[in-house]
Amino acid sequence: MSTSSTQSGGINGRFNSLQSNGHAPRDGSHSRKRVITHNDAYLYALRVAYLTYLLQPRARRMQHTPAPQPPINRSSTSINDLMKDFSLIRDSKSTRFPHGFMTELERRLTGVLMGREKKPEYNDATIKRTFAAFFNAFTEQSFKKRMEKDRRVEDLVLIFFSNATKELQKGKTAGDDAWKLMADRHLALFVRLISLVLKDHDWARDRPELAGRLATLESKLLAHDQDLSSTTSRNGASAGTSVEVVVPLSYEVKDMPLVQVVARTFGLTNTQVQSDINKHKPVWTEKAALQDLKSYQTYLNLNSKKTLRSDDFHFDEAYDSWRKGEDNDLSQMMLAIIQSSPELARSTPGSSLPKFNRQLSSPDAVHASYSQGPSKMSDFSERSSYVIDQPVDMTTLSSGSQSPISTNDDENPFTFIPADPRAFYRYIVAEALTHDLNDKSLQPSEASADAPMVKLFSKQSIELLNEIGLLWRIHPVSRMVLCFDVVREKFIDQENGFTLDILDAFFNLIKEQPSETKKNSPFTNSLLLERTKWTVSDTALYQQILSSLHEALMRDLYNIMQQCYEPKPPSIGPIMYVLENHIYSDSSFPRSREDMDAFSGALHEGLTQKAHDMYRSYLEQHVPQDQHSWEFFHVIELGKAVTALAQKIQKRYKKNPEIMEVNPLTALVETILPLYAEDARDIVTRILELAQASSEEVPIEDGFQLYGELIDIRRVHSEVLPQVPFPFSIEGTLAEFVWRWICMTESSINDWVDQAIKQDQFRVRTDNPQQIPSEEQRHSVSVMDIFTSFNQTIDRVVQLNWDNDLQYAKFMTALAKIVGAGIARYCDVVEQRFSKEMDRLSPEQEAAASQTKQEKWLQLAKDTWNNKDKIEPFQFFPESFVKLNNIDFAAQQLDKLEHEVNVDACAAVIQSHAPPVTQRQKKTNNYVFTIKIVEAEDLKACDMNGSSDPYVVLGDEYQKRLAKTRIVYRNLNPRWDESVDISTQGPLNIIATVWDWDAMGDHDCVGRASLKLDPSHFGDFMPREYWLDLDSQGRILLRVSMEGERDDIQFYFGKAFRTLKRTERDMTRIITDKLSAYIHHCLSRRTLRNLTSKGITMSTVSNYFNRNRPQQTTQAPTEAEIANALKPLFAYFDDNFAIMNQTLTSTAMVMVMTRLWKEVLVTVEGLLVPPLSDKPSLQRPLNQQELDIVFKWLQYLFDFFHAVDDETGEANGVPLGVLRSPKYFDITTLNFFYFESTDALIRTSERMASATAARQQSQRNRLSAPASLAAPAFGGAAGLVGLPSTRRSKSIMLSRNLGTMKKAKEEKWKEAQADPNDDMILRILRMRPEAERYLKDRSRQKDRLAAAAAAEMIVRQSLMAGGGRMMGNLPRR
């Protein structure tokens, strides 16, 4: 059979009403052809209930027949005789009952009267009557008070005996004395009850005498009746018999349980029902019921329409199975009726009566016989009225009737069965369900893990429906389907608060497996499983019910989903549970794909409209109507509301994101987020326009807060709608606020630095001044404060989570520039303070400054006459060392910041978005010239001692001071090796002025030289060296390199690092300069001459006049004398290192010691050879003894700076890698060439020059020439034209962090060691006058090689750049 024909139009027809504002009304129940009146349904239900009463098993009772009674002889003639034992001890406390006894006795007596007493002897009606008479007297207040006061047991006994005697004498004749023994027996029961009360409350143990007296009294009273519970003596008789008799029917409604159920169901009183029963009692008989069954069987045999036929089933097998069960059920029902009314057997022919089957006489056989019928069709239940008392053979039962059977289908030939049983049954089910749902006394079912507490059918209603369905021969499936139809109708019409829980409970009821506790259930799981045994009408009705319920549930689901965006929407769980577990899981439900798609479309459209309405309500709530009152706050609040709603919906539907293939979150987000994005864009744009028009600025924090809210909304949008772009360019609109923040930071950075320095005392951060600070405590708070400010500034931008890589990289670039400016400011101020501290005058110098000019000349002459070099040790301040520590700490923090910012990634992003070189616009560039003041030669002597104390000042053409070097004392060939950065946008003329420092009076000008810095001459960005002749005497060497100042984050960090390192180097140099004077004093030729002269002491004037006389031969100094010569220097180092060790960090300490070691090497080198030049030197070479002393000094100093612990062997000073520098190796190699002949030295120099030329030829493919050719030291043509050096180790980009700086330093070291040269040999040859010509030739050769290498490099770079990078194409920002 096709199921599509049974549908009620599907769900397409109802979608027109889904868009209404209110809830769509439900359809009414299905129309039926036959109209069932309330009274007709009531009368037919009453007939079945009344018939059940008639057919119920008759109650039986035991009836006693007393035997003739003999004369009564009592053991005592008076009750007073029995109470003598109590009278003798009347005043004894042990015979009185305890306090509280009266209350417990009253409770026990109440239990006897109510029938709750467990002892069987108290259950007799006569005993209850006697106890009731005593209870009336017992409960009087006056009696209770007297008994509570006296507490005498004999008073209770006497009062009971008096009341029992009066009660038992009622209705007795004068000669009947049987009541006397009955009075004794009842009194004995009362005494036993008193003993039980005492025993139960453990009072008998405290009153053994009272318990004994009571036991004695009871035994005396039982002299004629020893067994109080015996049935033969229960009424006081000594003999008799008991017989079982059938209790006759009362025909009263109070004795008819099912009739009372019908009365309650139909809302009638017992009196009205009793009247109807009395009226129809002659008709509603067992005989009429038997006749109905016979008639039904006849119609069944005739295949009449009044019964089910084979056409009503899908399969013949189903009909045959039903027919077989129907015959068995009819036979059993008729036999039960006949057994209940045996007189009906007389009206039935003998051959028609069922016979006893002896083969079924055993109980097991009986169970096996009757277990087949109910198990097949479930017609009979444990409480059915159609039950026979013994096994019978029903095969001989005939359905023959003495009256003719009508074959007219319109007539109703039955008494108990209505014309349309299905319709009447459905009506009664509806009435029963309505009554049970409204019955407040009906307890709901117990809640379980799967189902809540619900009320459905009561047990009495189920029993009534079972009896009706059984007698009316309604198919079990039909009963279930009809009940289901009633449930459907009430659910759709929403009658009596019919909820989903009740519907779910009914589904569970028809699906659950039968159990021992639910044998009276009208439904079993087998009804749903065996769908092939269903009738056609039941199948069609069941499908129709499912479709109707599905339509109603879908409508409810639609209505609930329209509220899903509300704060507390109704739950869709119950609806979805019923749909998934009961509707869709049922194979009979005709599910249609088209209907589901239509519903999903309508639901999505409805949710979209609801989302639109929700957004409009939020917009009206959070955004005012007046545009001039708009603020970012309104956009933020609107965004928070939208985000909160989306997050709430996402969390609400996290486990089940789709409802009927519709995602509420998607419908919400794809509606409200585009609306919000467009409105936010328009509102923000309008706010900015109004602010600009009024010359006002929106607070930066408002912009940042707005950005945070907008990106949260965009994130939700991307998660739900990954393929749909967000319609608002947030970064493009709000980038202005970040740039304003950066500009504000840039304008405040110098003030931050100044304030941090102003509040800093530059002391180590220890709690106790005597405590030795740790490494972390050796820098002061100012450097921590400025880097805290830097980190907070950068973190403020980082925390925005800016979602535009290019803009973020530009932000970081601008912040890097600000950080660099702040660091430059900090270095400048700290270095100024440091220099001021280091340039202070000593007490002796302050005293000398207060002398007159004549006094100064006299003191100078006196010192000269005494041959005294005045070297005063410098006293360092701890604050000065803390400043150096701050610079070192700043470099570490900057390196950490560089890694956190991810500088390389930012630079790569900007580079990837940069336009091609040909499309870049030309802008005015800034260039950074790095000028290194290397050394000077043959300076003019300005002091009386034939020397000078030179330092260099760089200035521009406008006399603006740009840089100043340190002072090199008593040296006409000084070496400074100091660098300075000069920024310019075009050509710049610089003037280098060499000054002579004087402690007294003005400083003298030694000489001047000028140099033009033109960016066009440095287009290859290669460094150049310039020997500039001074206007007086001598010359100065400047090494110049240029680098384009780029708007590049790597450049800014590199510049900041170089600023820190340069400041650190300058401060370290100033510290070492304060120590170098004493180093030069101790490691001087005068000290060496004094050591070798060994005790010869003459004045300076005598030495001058006796200079040409032969010197006295002396012995070589001993090892101890050589070592003692350095003791003053070591003591001086120890004094200063002690202060440094307590203040400087380990890194700064090593740095200072390394610088000092370099000063030591330079001093030792100056003792051995003169500086490199193409001119002969007047310096005298050392003899072998002096040379040995110098090298021993070098070894002592090496060990001192290395500082190896004798016990542990651990080095605590300068690492070996630093001590063994290239200069150290150059000095150690001097021993091999120092005493060679001039010719041999010249030949060695020529071989080295040839090797250098060959090496340069083999490295033509490299981008730079060897380092040995990078520094022409003799000037000449190369120095005049400024040819480029081949090395770029000082590039800012190579200094952008500590890692790149360390790597560049290592490469420089390796390059210096890999390219040995003949410089040391040339310096030795300067002390040989015969080598003057070779020095000049070698200088010109070096110039030619350097020029050739530079030209080749320029050509190579030009070819690599496409021929145009020599001059003009400089990098643009």
Side-chain angles (χ1 to χ4, degrees), residues 1274-1338:
F1274 303 101
L1280 293 176
V1281 300
L1283 291 176
S1285 172
T1286 57
R1287 204 168 174 280
R1288 294 187 62 195
S1289 62
K1290 297 299 182 180
S1291 170
I1292 291 179
M1293 298 302 290
L1294 296 179
S1295 305
R1296 62 180 182 270
N1297 56 45
L1298 295 179
T1300 57
M1301 297 174 69
K1302 183 178 180 182
K1303 185 177 180 181
K1305 190 173 182 180
E1306 292 176 352
E1307 291 178 354
K1308 178 182 177 182
W1309 193 295
K1310 292 179 181 179
E1311 187 176 351
Q1313 292 181 340
D1315 295 329
N1317 54 62
D1318 59 345
D1319 288 349
M1320 279 299 177
I1321 295 177
L1322 295 176
R1323 296 173 72 175
I1324 296 174
L1325 290 175
R1326 285 194 67 196
M1327 295 183 294
R1328 311 283 178 91
E1330 63 271 18
E1332 179 179 2
R1333 184 178 182 82
Y1334 177 75
L1335 290 175
K1336 293 182 179 180
D1337 294 340
R1338 185 74 179 93

Side-chain angles (χ1 to χ4, degrees), residues 92 101 156 162 176 231 283 315 385 396 511 607 645 687 690 849 970 1010 1034 1150 1155 1175 1208 1214 1224 1285:
S92 177
F101 173 78
L156 286 175
S162 174
D176 187 4
T231 57
V283 181
F315 304 100
S385 59
T396 60
K511 290 180 179 181
L607 292 180
L645 177 61
I687 291 175
L690 293 175
R970 294 183 299 278
S1010 63
V1150 171
R1155 179 74 186 183
K1175 299 179 181 179
T1208 62
V1214 181
Y1224 174 78
S1285 172

